Amino acid sequence: MEMLVAISLIVIGLAVGLFGYKLFKVLMPIAGLLIGSSIGFTGFQGIFGTGVTSTTIAILVAIIFGLVLAVLSYAFFDIALAILMGVAMSALFTLLGLALGLSANGFVLGLLSLSGFIIGLIIARSSVFLTEGFVTLVTAYVGTGLALAGIFLLGSGVSLQEMYDNGVIVTASQHASQSFWWVFVWIASFIIMRQIQLRMIALELFPEELAYHPSTK
């Protein structure tokens, strides 16, 4: 079982780390479908109750709402990406507030979260390169963590239960931090994976046919 999980983590980690931005375009509509279905179902039941008829209708509403959100996520990928950037910055500002000891002041914490969301939207809309860079950063980091978690599971004393209790990325980072070598491997792998993703994005925007080639004359 551990062997299968370890191999799966390594394969998924390499896929996420090397093709994160391309996969993101595919996963965004899927996430929209799941989130939309959940909102549609719980929202309808919250308004009309949980009877047999309302539950059946709620399922239909969930499917329709999910499909609509999936289509919108695909058709307006840049907008969905901007919202994600806003959510990420909101989470970052919230964590900053908690680190500063503002957990008891919900109003200030809420303002920080809202400010982070707005700043994230502004950053995303001001430069598509910054947003794409953010996606490559996250996916390269997560992909490296997943791949190393699989390697650690194969022969470095990490157990499935430990990953289940603490999370895959947290467990991998805790184990890697115990050795300079593994920290170096994580950083190097992260940099290489991100550079590969940026290279792919650059080739999409500027095909090699348009690149400058010095004259051989």
Side-chain angles (χ1 to χ4, degrees), residues 16-29:
V16 171
L18 295 172
F19 306 101
Y21 184 74
K22 291 182 177 293
L23 289 174
F24 201 79
K25 289 186 175 181
V26 177
L27 294 176
M28 183 70 84

Side-chain angles (χ1 to χ4, degrees), residues 18 30 32-33 38 49-51 53 62-63 67 85 93 105 115 129 131 158 162 167-168 174 201-202 207 212 217:
L18 295 172
I30 296 176
L33 175 64
S38 176
T50 58
T53 303
I63 294 173
L67 289 174
M85 186 73 167
F93 274 50
N105 195 326
S115 300
F129 295 107
T131 309
V158 174
E162 189 177 354
V168 176
Q174 289 176 345
I201 294 173
Y212 171 73
K217 295 181 180 181

